[in-house]
Amino acid sequence: MSKRSCLILIAALAATPAAAHVSLETKQATIGASYKAVFTVPHGCAGSPTVKIRVQIPEGVIAVKPMPKAGWTVDVVEGKYAGEYDYHGNKLSSGVKEVAWSGGKLPDKNYDEFIMQTVLTDKLKANTTLYFPVVQECETGVRRWIEIPTDASSHSHEGKSPAPGVKLLPKP
């Protein structure tokens, strides 16, 4: 292998982790069912440790219960939904709109997961992708994984800062 080829290979490998983004472990889910959203965080911000993860909950996602994480504090922001949702015979018109884990420290060289249990209501549209915008705060710097394709049926990750998405499947 030539010196030039070796340098190109090293540069490509070095660039790979920087291109990785916060994503959802499970890429498909059925509407009208529960969904365990596992957000994978593969790195910090240009070498700086992650100290906070904030996840925006999209409309149509209810009964959100974040999983506690050792060494981290979990906070939720509640608010009104755009409409009412039926949940086990009860009408829900408000609930969790954002979940934040903070106070911990995830070094850039490590990977971790942030988890929440949710329900994907049957008012969501099948065969589309549902996006969860995420803001990753680090000791130095912030990464905003918030880009949503203009075509909601697309599952493209062509942007530089794509929001994690899950493809919605119809009820069986």
Side-chain angles (χ1 to χ4, degrees):
M1 181 180 279
S2 73
K3 185 176 178 181
R4 178 171 157 65
S5 297
C6 190
L7 288 174
I8 291 170
L9 178 62
I10 290 169
L13 291 173
T16 302
H21 53 275
V22 174
S23 61
L24 283 162
E25 182 178 78
T26 304
K27 307 291 186 202
Q28 297 182 1
T30 304
I31 60 172
S34 64
Y35 173 63
K36 181 179 174 184
V38 179
F39 295 89
T40 60
V41 179
H43 59 76
C45 306
S48 180
T50 300
V51 295
K52 186 172 189 178
I53 295 288
R54 289 186 294 132
V55 179
Q56 182 181 342
I57 308 302
E59 188 64 34
V61 178
I62 62 170
V64 174
K65 292 183 180 181
M67 181 182 284
K69 214 172 168 38
W72 295 76
T73 300
V74 180
D75 293 304
V76 297
V77 174
E78 294 196 11
K80 291 275 185 196
Y81 296 138
E84 278 192 343
Y85 300 100
D86 183 50
Y87 181 63
H88 298 297
N90 297 314
K91 297 287 183 194
L92 295 181
S93 59
S94 65
V96 177
K97 303 291 281 178
E98 182 178 281
V99 175
W101 288 268
S102 63
K105 190 172 183 175
L106 174 59
D108 184 56
K109 66 181 178 182
N110 296 114
Y111 152 95
D112 208 345
E113 299 175 337
F114 296 81
I115 304 169
M116 65 179 80
Q117 186 64 40
T118 70
V119 171
L120 304 176
T121 65
D122 55 9
K123 291 187 179 181
L124 292 167
K125 188 177 176 186
N127 302 312
T128 62
T129 300
L130 182 68
Y131 293 94
F132 290 79
V134 174
V135 175
Q136 175 186 12
E137 297 180 24
C138 298
E139 285 182 342
T140 305
V142 174
R143 295 296 312 259
R144 296 180 190 338
W145 306 106
I146 59 173
E147 290 180 14
I148 298 172
T150 51
D151 176 6
S153 64
S154 168
H155 190 65
S156 170
H157 277 102
E158 293 175 14
K160 290 184 180 181
S161 301
V166 58
K167 182 172 175 33
L168 299 174
L169 304 174
K171 286 183 181 183

